[in-house]
Amino acid sequence: MVTAAQQTASAAPDAARTFPKSFLWGSATASYQIEGAAAEDGRTPSIWDTYARTPGRVRNGDTGDVATDHYHRRSEDVALMSELGLGAYRFSLAWPRIQPTGRGPAVQKGLDFYRRLVDELLEKGIQPVATLYHWDLPQELEDAGGWPERATAERFAEYAGLAADALGDRVKTWTTLNEPWCSAFLGYGSGVHAPGRTDPVAALRAAHHLNLAHGLAAQALRDRLRADAQVSVTLNIHHVRPLTGSEGDADAVRRIDALANRVFTGPMLNGVYPEDLLKDTAELTDWSFVRDGDLRQAHQPLDFLGVNYYTPTVVSETDGSATHTSDGHGNSAHSPWPGADRVAFHQPPGATTAMGWAVDPSGLYDLLRRLAADFPRLPLVITENGAAFDDYADPAGQVNDPARIDYVRGHLAAVHQAILDGADVRGYFLWSLLDNFEWAHGYSKRFGAVYVDYPTGTRIPKASARWYAEVARTGVLPGA
């Protein structure tokens, strides 16, 4: 059957590609990475404040205390979005800005910031897309046990209700969690993300309670939002490939697919944990922290699935002596892959970004085709895709970044082809709107379409921003 998207998407002879007229073009950010104002208007520390202020955790000792100062430069940034013709802006709410202890009533000054942001977006004709959680857990909740504890999921649902009550009359599109894999396995497994713990069982417990938190929050949103509101979750689905065609490498793919992907898609989209995941991790835990009814709670209807993609993952079978340090997620003596000690990770071939990640749009195409086959009735939105390069402003004050244009062009071509081949992809959000605090890399990696001079805060749209603005305006992806 030919879908409406296929009828309106077309490929011109010279590789120019036209996207569906309803396709949503946007850009994305995260609260801790851009807002700054770390101790203003009642905001208290998040786990990332604590982590970044711990010596040796973040490159150069950088923190998000100021970041790009979006908290004070909000109107300037919204004007930039309007200038670039964005149809949507995906931002995250800072939980410790709204509910500083993770409990109790909301702080109105914190909510007022987001109220003003949403009002300004709507005035400019930009659709606000709100993410409830992009990794900044209130430190008080971590002190009480963090995501490995069930109570954190319950607190998250209460916070979701507060946010929906305040913004639900103006925000129609909501995301519960951003990349819970990173929260669970980098935060509690390898320790390269906040809160920096290195306990494989805690990582698995955290994954489960994030699944539960998603479901409870989705219900809280549905209870408060209008009937036409959209509820989603964003996952960094790993596109996992075998190094060779051996049976052992195929099993390595299966193991990592379970830990990276199906640990979340199973409960959230099917209401069950995959049996092979439980078997692979049986020596670590009996999963008794999963209570009756949890999977039913986690399995909530979604309006679309957010997909974040940057690069593929290549794995092979090993004797257990290899390490996980080529998995692209940062170096640690501790693995983020519990129960996968006999899996080795390999650098994919080809050109790389400043993060050392392989540039491979075919991985995005393959991933979208897989998701379309596995979940045929669930629309997809690319909620993050982009690249870091070593950008700089030239003497004329211009920032030319042809490598980023090539990266985005290639990945948009992959999205377009996936639509033609049957994937129901509804939109694309470029990561990121602004150069910003890039987690453990500090300010050393620039993902933005807009260059930020950190000492002054000056914003300079890069060549890629102008290029992307034209694609968003016309819906046409030009050839190389």
Side-chain angles (χ1 to χ4, degrees), residues 84-170:
L84 296 175
L86 298 183
Y89 173 52
R90 176 177 176 254
F91 61 96
S92 75
L93 308 176
W95 190 350
R97 195 178 294 288
I98 292 173
Q99 198 183 30
T101 66
R103 302 176 178 85
V107 172
Q108 292 306 311
K109 284 187 177 180
L111 283 173
D112 284 345
F113 170 75
Y114 298 108
R115 290 186 179 107
R116 290 190 291 266
L117 172 63
V118 168
D119 287 345
E120 292 179 15
L121 290 169
L122 293 173
E123 287 170 6
K124 298 290 188 182
I126 301 169
Q127 178 181 327
V129 178
T131 298
L132 287 169
Y133 187 73
H134 199 132
W135 307 350
D136 43 3
L137 183 72
Q139 182 61 44
E140 280 202 26
L141 292 185
E142 173 59 24
D143 293 342
W147 285 114
E149 298 302 319
R150 171 176 298 268
T152 306
E154 296 165 348
R155 299 292 80 74
F156 184 67
E158 295 166 4
Y159 155 64
L162 294 175
D165 287 340
L167 301 171
D169 60 332
R170 285 159 289 181

Side-chain angles (χ1 to χ4, degrees), residues 32 46-53 58 135 192-194 437 439-440:
Y32 187 72
S46 73
I47 55 174
W48 266 100
D49 292 277
T50 302
Y51 187 86
R53 294 168 188 167
V58 175
W135 307 350
V192 299
H193 277 196
F437 177 86
W439 309 116

Side-chain angles (χ1 to χ4, degrees), residues 18 92 95 107 132 175 208 251 260 283 294 297 301 309 324 334 354 356 400 410 414 416 449 452 464:
T18 300
S92 75
W95 190 350
V107 172
L132 287 169
T175 297
H208 174 65
D251 190 63
E283 292 186 2
D294 282 3
Q297 296 275 25
Y309 172 87
H324 58 276
H334 303 272
N400 294 304
H416 184 272
V452 177
S464 61

